[in-house]
Amino acid sequence: MASCVSRQSRTRSAPMRRTMLAAGLGLLALTALAAAQPRAPYAPGPQNIELPSDWQTRFIRYATVDKADRKIIRHMYVNPESFAALRSGQPAPYGTLLIMADTRARLDAQGNPLLDTSGRFIPEPGWIAIGAQQKEAGWGEGYGPELRNGEWEYAAFTGNGERRNIPLNNCFACHLQARAAQDFTFTYWDHAQARR
């Protein structure tokens, strides 16, 4: 009886194994085909940057900046792969995605930002705006010298993560004029120097 049951199990599982093997090979072939498909040619613009749905849990917050002139707090994040590859004095690696998420500062009755025990602004809950800066090989082609930031692109999103179709020339111009020697980044470059 036991040998009969085990023979039946082997008989049933052999076709199942063949089916699973065929499915696996089919999936492998589809993956190879997808990888072989040429990517759409690069065109300058914010459409190149996607805001990852998991950035708030997966990305690393490396800096927080109080902006007194705007009564906001900027929270700076980077994808963990780029954070691990960060080297002092070196450009950010391709694939670096920097996210700047703004919150309002909590204000007193006179409209002044309230401070915590460390003298920093206290954030109100929720994002009010999100900016992104991403670097990829070949990006930046198509911009004139008055705007091109190496191989970086910029994008703007609402606090809920919806894309904002706004002009980004000010981002390009500011980073180009102030930080071209620092790989067109502000807090990220400075953070790398502080990690020596």
Side-chain angles (χ1 to χ4, degrees):
M1 180 83 151
S3 63
C4 181
V5 171
S6 64
R7 222 174 320 149
Q8 286 177 347
S9 295
R10 280 194 299 254
T11 309
R12 284 188 207 142
S13 62
M16 186 179 295
R17 282 196 299 265
R18 283 194 292 273
T19 303
M20 290 175 64
L21 179 61
L25 289 173
L27 183 59
L28 185 61
L30 285 174
T31 303
L33 182 62
Q37 294 295 324
R39 297 179 89 187
Y42 166 79
Q47 74 281 353
N48 295 294
I49 300 177
E50 293 296 329
L51 187 65
S53 59
D54 64 348
W55 73 267
Q56 294 182 72
T57 56
R58 190 171 63 85
F59 280 37
I60 295 168
R61 186 173 66 178
Y62 66 89
T64 304
V65 179
D66 295 343
K67 301 283 290 177
D69 58 328
R70 297 181 57 198
K71 300 179 183 178
I72 63 169
I73 305 158
R74 293 213 145 135
H75 307 266
M76 309 299 197
Y77 294 83
V78 63
N79 55 324
E81 303 81 9
S82 295
F83 186 81
L86 181 64
R87 299 292 176 265
S88 178
Q90 298 298 312
Y94 293 128
T96 297
L97 176 55
L98 305 174
I99 294 177
M100 177 180 69
D102 293 346
T103 57
R104 286 190 177 84
R106 187 167 294 170
L107 306 178
D108 64 17
Q110 289 74 43
N112 300 310
L114 293 170
L115 305 179
D116 64 16
T117 56
S118 300
R120 304 295 305 270
F121 289 0
I122 299 170
E124 289 285 358
W127 307 119
I128 56 171
I130 299 170
Q133 179 181 3
Q134 186 170 345
K135 182 180 186 181
E136 296 292 348
W139 284 15
E141 294 177 13
Y143 291 106
E146 74 286 355
L147 289 182
R148 185 167 183 178
N149 280 205
E151 295 173 291
W152 291 96
E153 281 281 6
Y154 300 87
F157 301 89
T158 66
N160 294 327
E162 297 168 3
R163 188 176 299 279
R164 295 179 65 205
N165 294 315
I166 60 172
L168 298 167
N169 288 359
N170 287 342
C171 299
F172 285 97
C174 178
H175 285 248
L176 176 63
Q177 293 166 13
R179 302 294 280 201
Q182 292 82 22
D183 194 27
F184 306 96
T185 65
F186 284 87
T187 57
Y188 194 60
W189 181 273
D190 296 343
H191 179 72
Q193 308 317 300
R195 283 180 64 186
R196 283 187 214 191

